[in-house]
Amino acid sequence: MSREAQLPHNTSAQVVVRDLQKHYGGIQAARGVSLEVEQGETFGLLGPNGAGKTTTLECIIGLREPDEGYIEVCGVDARRRPRDAKQKIGAVLQTTALQDKITPHEALQLFGSLYRGRIEPGPLLEQFGLTGKADAAFDTLSRGQQQRLGLALAFVNKPELLFLDEPTTGLDPQSRRELHTMIARMKQDGHTVLLTTHYIDEAEQLCDRLAIIDHGRIIAEGTPRELIAHSTAATSIALETVQAIEATWLEQLSGVHDLTCEPTRARFRSTDIARTLAELMELLNARQVELAALHVQKATLEDVFLELTGTSLDNPGEPETDASPSAPSRPPRRGVPTEN
């Protein structure tokens, strides 16, 4: 038994990864990735393009052979017994690519023939809203219909565990909402799901827990709420007053930065929200200034992501291209402590 296999882990975990490493020439796509996915949860790998999300997922499901590391899927050592592991999982990759003229019904029959246990095409076509397209050629389906077919194909073997790689990239808003609903239903039905994404809202909406991955390393892990709570990202404060205020007053408050001030309006960030608000109330009372409105906005998951990676996800529509050769190597920055 390998050293990694002997490391303690939760026996209810559906996915166990220890010290996963993968190189492409001189490029390190995965640098010691370790994670666990609990039974029945939706777990997200969130990161910018080239962070290593797709490489990590493809190593777990057996599409790529890692250089080092231990991978356990549904209690099976996936590197030693890859065929047994693949019987237990379903996967949807970034694009569903099939022969142009194959129909959804034919594709489901073909894929089902590869497994010991399978679901017949009819129920899957109905479940994923494809009954009306059962005999349509694949190349006539919309992008959303093709992705729904990909999900149906992932379910054909009654999987214990589902892997979704950037499942909504390139979809129109309506198709994206439909797919979100289907993914949420998977959790309600008791399925364990591991998905990769670079959509902040998708990760926050769908995932019970997240691992933020950057330059091949997991740099923070936890629930969305935990990640935000452990962040040092500043809270935003906006206020409106009846009487005029001056910027020089607000500059004296503890923890204030990024201040903008108009005669009766001000906006700023604070790294010490409790103390800043207490001092603000004292200041307004002392200056006999009446407060008309006060809005406090805590850090968001996007703020946390930017703080940890230094990268914005303003342009999330491009597909994953793991480990760009130009990506600089730098030590990980932590949010919630992880094993990596």
Side-chain angles (χ1 to χ4, degrees):
M1 182 178 293
S2 68
R3 178 185 64 83
E4 291 87 353
Q6 299 179 54
L7 293 174
H9 62 265
N10 192 327
T11 55
S12 68
Q14 290 284 79
V15 178
V16 178
V17 178
R18 291 284 181 266
D19 195 28
L20 176 66
Q21 301 192 41
K22 179 64 179 177
H23 299 72
Y24 303 106
I27 302 169
Q28 292 180 294
R31 309 183 184 199
V33 171
S34 294
L35 59 86
E36 292 186 10
V37 180
E38 298 293 327
Q39 186 171 10
E41 79 172 338
T42 299
F43 186 95
L45 273 178
L46 176 66
N49 290 329
K53 303 186 300 296
T54 292
T55 290
T56 297
L57 183 141
E58 289 181 347
C59 286
I60 296 172
I61 66 178
L63 290 181
R64 295 187 187 275
E65 176 63 26
D67 300 320
E68 295 182 33
Y70 173 74
I71 302 171
E72 182 181 303
V73 175
C74 300
V76 175
D77 186 328
R79 296 191 67 187
R80 293 187 177 185
R81 297 164 54 199
R83 292 195 178 193
D84 291 337
K86 288 175 183 177
Q87 291 289 329
K88 295 175 176 288
I89 67 173
V92 181
L93 303 182
Q94 290 182 24
T95 57
T96 300
L98 296 171
Q99 197 275 334
D100 286 350
K101 300 307 175 185
I102 195 170
T103 68
H105 189 276
E106 292 169 340
L108 288 166
Q109 282 186 318
L110 175 63
F111 275 61
S113 69
L114 303 175
Y115 294 97
R116 300 167 193 146
R118 63 181 182 272
I119 301 175
E120 292 302 313
L124 289 171
L125 290 167
E126 183 176 356
Q127 180 180 350
F128 292 97
L130 292 167
T131 302
K133 295 290 184 178
D135 298 314
F138 179 76
D139 63 357
T140 68
L141 301 180
S142 69
R143 177 77 171 84
Q145 290 166 343
Q146 291 179 356
Q147 201 69 339
R148 293 209 305 273
L149 176 57
L151 279 172
L153 292 170
F155 271 88
V156 76
N157 61 321
K158 306 177 186 178
E160 298 178 33
L161 175 64
L162 287 159
F163 294 90
L164 309 176
D165 188 19
E166 305 279 1
T168 63
T169 296
L171 296 184
D172 62 81
Q174 180 178 345
S175 297
R176 190 166 179 255
R177 284 194 298 270
E178 290 173 354
L179 205 58
H180 282 180
T181 300
M182 291 179 183
I183 295 170
R185 191 180 303 133
M186 293 175 196
K187 175 178 170 58
Q188 294 171 2
D189 292 341
H191 292 286
T192 304
V193 180
L194 190 157
L195 67 89
T196 72
T197 184
H198 51 208
Y199 288 106
I200 293 282
D201 63 328
E202 184 166 271
E204 195 161 15
Q205 176 183 338
L206 297 176
C207 298
D208 300 303
R209 289 191 302 125
L210 293 168
I212 296 178
I213 186 168
D214 190 35
H215 292 98
R217 296 181 185 272
I218 291 179
I219 57 175
E221 184 178 337
T223 67
R225 181 172 294 183
E226 287 171 344
L227 291 169
I228 292 170
H230 285 79
S231 171
T232 60
T235 299
S236 174
I237 300 171
L239 68 145
E240 186 174 347
T241 58
V242 176
Q243 295 82 17
I245 54 177
E246 297 182 15
T248 53
W249 302 351
L250 302 177
E251 289 171 349
Q252 301 172 19
L253 301 178
S254 299
V256 167
H257 59 92
D258 296 338
L259 171 66
T260 59
C261 187
E262 301 174 5
T264 59
R265 293 182 181 180
R267 180 180 295 274
F268 53 86
R269 291 183 176 271
S270 171
T271 55
D272 189 352
I273 184 62
R275 188 172 179 182
T276 300
L277 289 175
E279 292 180 4
L280 175 63
M281 295 301 103
E282 290 180 6
L283 183 149
L284 296 179
N285 287 332
R287 300 282 183 172
Q288 296 184 329
V289 174
E290 184 179 351
L291 186 64
L294 179 67
H295 299 281
V296 178
Q297 176 66 54
K298 288 188 68 66
T300 65
L301 189 58
E302 187 168 7
D303 294 328
V304 174
F305 187 89
L306 182 61
E307 174 195 2
L308 292 173
T309 68
T311 304
S312 173
L313 292 181
D314 291 336
N315 183 24
E318 300 175 5
E320 173 77 51
T321 53
D322 275 345
S324 166
S326 62
S329 176
R330 57 189 173 91
R333 301 167 63 194
R334 305 274 179 157
V336 179
T338 68
E339 294 181 6
N340 287 345

